[in-house]
Amino acid sequence: MSTARIDPNRLYFALLDPPRTRGRDRRDELLYGLESVAPTPIEELHAVFHPLPDRRVLGIAIQRDEGAALASTHLRASPAHWPDWLEHETQSPPPDRINLLTGPLTPPRVIRAKRALLHLTLIMFVLTALILSFGFERRIRGAQAEDARIQTLTDDQYRQALGPLLGSSAQPPAAILTAELRKLQSTRSPETTTPAQAFNADLLLARVLSAWPTKTTLRAESITVTQRAVELITTAQTTEDTTALINACKTLDGLRIGTSSSTQARDGIRFELRLIAEDAP
């Protein structure tokens, strides 16, 4: 950024008391205080004010003609350094923090840059709004199309279920279908149902285990108990053990031998036995 460094001898400085007013009246009060110490009429000066830590205000002024000439060639203008008396009086900010080319002396390039930034911001805002609006419009259209598809499917189902009744009545299809269902329910008698016989898997398992042959090498891997059958998967060392299990299960009331199979395994004979409940279909 092009910054003009101005010799303090070409500027006017003043340490002003804390203003008592605010807003536009505050600046008028500060200008009045600066005018009392400046040797030039205040109308010929352009002033900027900077608050200090002790609540006083540092006033700096430049001739308007000189400031306008600087604004045509530079973007900023700051004092090159502070006068000796000012550095001893207060803790002033760094001189480069002061910009004298503000307000009516703002450089044209700065004004154009601010306007361009404002226009770019507005364009981005409009584009974002258009993109969001387009996305919302697509969502709305998609939802409307899905609603229409579902409504078409629903109407087709009503036509298939109601047939001629749908065209001969002014009532909604749902009301016609409900009336027809109630009419059909009124013509049906409730069916008599026979409660199923209570099934107790624990008792059935206890009966199987009580008949289990003890003087064998049989080892049960799994026992599955259902209302229709009992399935045993065991491991034995000899065929005599499996025969003993079959003979023991033959003594169980309400169960009959169904299927059995045996295969040679690494640790013996894998024997599967299925017992079928006598009342099972």
Side-chain angles (χ1 to χ4, degrees), residues 221-270:
E221 293 186 4
S222 68
I223 301 176
T224 304
V225 180
T226 65
Q227 191 171 1
R228 296 176 176 270
V230 178
E231 296 181 357
L232 306 173
I233 300 177
T234 63
T235 302
Q237 297 298 324
T238 64
T239 56
E240 288 79 10
D241 296 336
T242 60
T243 302
L245 178 60
I246 293 175
N247 293 332
C249 291
K250 289 180 179 179
T251 62
L252 295 173
D253 296 331
L255 294 173
R256 57 184 172 85
I257 302 297
T259 59
S260 64
S261 64
S262 61
T263 56
Q264 191 67 34
R266 184 175 59 181
D267 54 349
I269 300 173
R270 179 181 174 87

Side-chain angles (χ1 to χ4, degrees), residues 6-206:
I6 306 174
D7 188 279
N9 295 326
R10 295 160 54 191
L11 302 174
Y12 303 94
F13 299 89
L15 282 177
L16 305 175
D17 294 332
R20 300 179 181 179
T21 56
R22 295 183 179 181
R24 185 177 180 84
D25 294 338
R26 178 179 182 274
R27 179 171 177 82
D28 291 341
E29 180 182 351
L30 293 174
L31 287 174
Y32 179 78
L34 180 62
E35 184 180 18
S36 62
V37 297
T40 304
I42 197 65
E43 292 81 7
E44 300 178 4
L45 300 177
H46 172 71
V48 296
F49 300 96
H50 188 84
L52 300 176
D54 59 1
R55 297 185 60 194
R56 289 187 296 175
V57 177
L58 172 62
I60 308 172
I62 186 174
Q63 291 286 343
R64 285 186 177 272
D65 296 341
E66 184 178 358
L70 290 173
S72 63
T73 56
H74 295 78
L75 300 181
R76 298 180 80 255
S78 302
H81 56 83
W82 297 127
D84 294 338
W85 66 268
L86 183 58
E87 291 183 352
H88 296 297
E89 285 289 336
T90 182
Q91 295 181 352
S92 304
D96 56 3
R97 289 182 56 185
I98 305 298
N99 181 22
L100 297 172
L101 302 182
T102 60
L105 294 187
T106 301
R109 283 184 291 175
V110 175
I111 296 176
R112 288 194 297 268
K114 289 181 177 180
R115 289 177 179 175
L117 179 59
L118 177 60
H119 292 164
L120 180 61
T121 303
L122 291 176
I123 291 173
M124 293 299 296
F125 176 78
V126 172
L127 289 177
T128 303
L130 289 176
I131 293 173
L132 291 176
S133 176
F134 179 72
F136 291 148
E137 184 67 21
R138 287 191 60 184
R139 283 194 170 190
I140 292 172
R141 290 181 180 178
Q144 290 176 345
E146 183 66 15
D147 289 343
R149 186 183 69 84
I150 294 175
Q151 185 62 43
T152 301
L153 293 176
T154 303
D155 293 341
D156 292 341
Q157 295 295 324
Y158 279 131
R159 292 190 189 95
Q160 294 178 8
L162 299 176
L165 293 176
L166 187 62
S168 61
S169 177
Q171 293 183 350
I176 300 174
L177 184 60
T178 302
E180 289 298 315
L181 289 176
R182 290 177 179 174
K183 186 186 298 183
L184 290 174
Q185 290 174 356
S186 64
T187 60
R188 299 293 188 271
S189 58
E191 297 180 356
T192 57
T193 57
T194 303
Q197 186 178 359
F199 168 69
N200 194 321
D202 293 339
L203 295 178
L204 189 56
L205 177 61

